[in-house]
Amino acid sequence: GAVVSQHPSWVICKSGTSVKIECRSLDFQATTMFWYRQFPKQSLMLMATSNEGSKATYEQGVEKDKFLINHASLTLSTLTVTSAHPEDSSFYICSAGRGSLGRRTGELFFGEGSRLTVL
Amino acid sequence: QQQVKQSPQSLIVQKGGISIINCAYENTAFDYFPWYQQFPGKGPALLIAIRPDVSEKKEGRFTISFNKSAKQFSLHIMDSQPGDSATYFCAASARKTSGSRLTFGEGTQLTVNP
């Protein structure tokens, strides 16, 4: 099946620093990727939709200047948490659909997630 | 309008039993209903999905039942095994209007006792 890879799987950083998380579709092209945030024992909360070659679409309440998203190629989207603070500590997960087939079927493949801990 | 309500929040089943998780939705534009399985510290994995033109889909021990008029769908896990212990999320998307953008339920933590 399709594989979506995230890196790093976990990261610890100091408050005030920026952290970049990568999301790659390994065996298919993804014009759209989604970024989610998940707190312990809670559901996935959609943060933004990453569109290849254009600006990301952010959900209401998500600060676009704090969570920078770049989708520079059909296989890579990055999420940068800028000036991270302890309240940004969370599990960040990306997902991608398989191009036009994904849009037609609705099927999404998820990465393994990235655990961010801000000290 | 966009919410998907999931119940129960947690479920404990004995090995060999049937696990049933229910979801309900309001948005009639939803036309794709997947279920995801998530283990601790991992991303969700697609388990099984259904479209509204069928009332039931079965894959191995996993069955989705879909009731379009009631706007409800459920996941049945037959012969539940300890390895099935995980968090299960239902989801829905409206492919024509929102593409593959998913709305998730709140999740159900399933524990299968040996």
Side-chain angles (χ1 to χ4, degrees), chain B residues 5-67:
Chain B
K5 295 290 188 181
Q6 183 172 346
S7 63
Q9 188 174 20
S10 62
L11 180 62
I12 299 175
V13 175
Q14 290 300 118
K15 179 182 176 181
I18 303 174
S19 304
I20 302 175
I21 305 171
N22 301 297
C23 284
Y25 64 97
E26 290 293 327
N27 187 352
T28 54
F30 285 151
D31 59 1
Y32 175 69
F33 303 89
W35 284 89
Y36 285 88
Q37 179 189 56
Q38 186 180 30
F39 292 104
K42 300 293 185 181
L46 179 64
L47 201 57
I48 187 172
I50 198 168
R51 307 191 199 291
D53 52 343
V54 296
S55 60
E56 185 176 283
K57 183 175 181 180
K58 183 177 181 179
E59 290 183 1
R61 295 185 295 111
F62 301 95
T63 300
I64 298 179
S65 296
F66 184 81
N67 186 329

Side-chain angles (χ1 to χ4, degrees), chain B residues 100-111:
Chain B
S100 46
R101 184 180 185 276
L102 287 172
T103 298
F104 281 89
E106 297 91 340
T108 297
Q109 188 166 348
L110 171 64
T111 301

